[in-house]
Amino acid sequence: MAGWKRWSWALAGAFALHNTEEALTMRRFPSLAGRLDQAGRLDQGALNGLMTVISGLGVAAVAVGTTGRPAAWKPYLPAGMAGVILLNVALPHVPAAVVARGYAPGLVTAVGLNLPIGVAVLRSAVREGAISRHGLRRTIPVALGILACAPLAVATARAASGRDND
C-alpha cells in the first residue's frame, strides 16, 4: 500500500478520535453547551450521533479513495478530507483556544494528530504522484464547501434531538 494511502487511513482514525474528543468535552463548556441546549436542544445523544456520522463519512471517503480499481479522481477524496481537517484546525479550533485562553473542545487532537497527519497525507500524495500540485489547489474549494455544510449537519442533529425530546 502506498504511503499516502496509509497516511489517509491514519487520518481517518485521527479524525474519529478528534470527533470523540469533541463529543466528550463539548458539554463541559457551559457557554457552548448552554447555546446548544437553548438555541437548538442538541443533547449529548444527538451530539454523539452527529460525531459518529461525521466520522463515518470520513472513513467512507478514505475507503472509496484508497481501495478498489484505481481512478484519477480517487486520491482527491482523502486529499479533500485532509484539506477539510487542516482548515478545521485553523477555523475554529486554534482561534477558539485563543479566545478561551486555554482549551477548546477538540483542540488536542486537532493540533496533535489532525494537523501533522493531514499535512503528511497531502505531502505524500503529491510526492508519490497520486495528485498533482495543481490538483492540490483544487482541494481547497472542496474543503471549504464541505466545511460550509457543517451548519446543516448541526441543524439536522438539532432537529432530530428536538423530536426525540418532544
Side-chain angles (χ1 to χ4, degrees):
M1 183 182 294
W4 70 269
K5 289 182 180 183
R6 277 189 240 125
W7 279 118
S8 295
W9 281 104
L11 186 63
F15 183 57
L17 286 173
H18 170 72
N19 290 332
T20 301
E21 178 191 2
E22 283 188 340
L24 293 174
T25 60
M26 185 75 70
R27 310 294 284 163
R28 294 185 185 164
F29 290 83
S31 63
L32 292 172
R35 276 192 222 133
L36 291 173
D37 288 340
Q38 294 167 9
R41 295 169 44 184
L42 184 59
D43 63 17
Q44 188 65 47
L47 181 60
N48 293 347
L50 175 63
M51 293 305 183
T52 300
V53 169
I54 291 170
S55 296
L57 291 172
V59 170
V62 169
V64 171
T66 62
T67 62
R69 295 179 92 176
W73 58 270
K74 282 186 166 189
Y76 289 95
L77 289 175
M81 184 179 148
V84 168
I85 287 172
L86 292 173
L87 285 173
N88 188 248
V89 171
L91 294 170
H93 290 92
V94 172
V98 170
V99 168
R101 294 183 181 161
Y103 178 80
L107 179 67
V108 172
T109 52
V111 174
L113 293 175
N114 293 352
L115 177 63
I117 296 172
V119 168
V121 168
L122 297 176
R123 288 182 74 185
S124 61
V126 169
R127 185 176 42 240
E128 295 170 27
I131 61 173
S132 67
R133 286 192 188 276
H134 178 70
L136 182 61
R137 289 190 289 268
R138 288 186 218 145
T139 64
I140 294 168
V142 171
L144 289 171
I146 292 169
L147 282 177
C149 293
L152 176 63
V154 172
T156 302
R158 282 181 178 162
S161 181
R163 281 194 300 270
D164 291 344
N165 294 330
D166 289 339

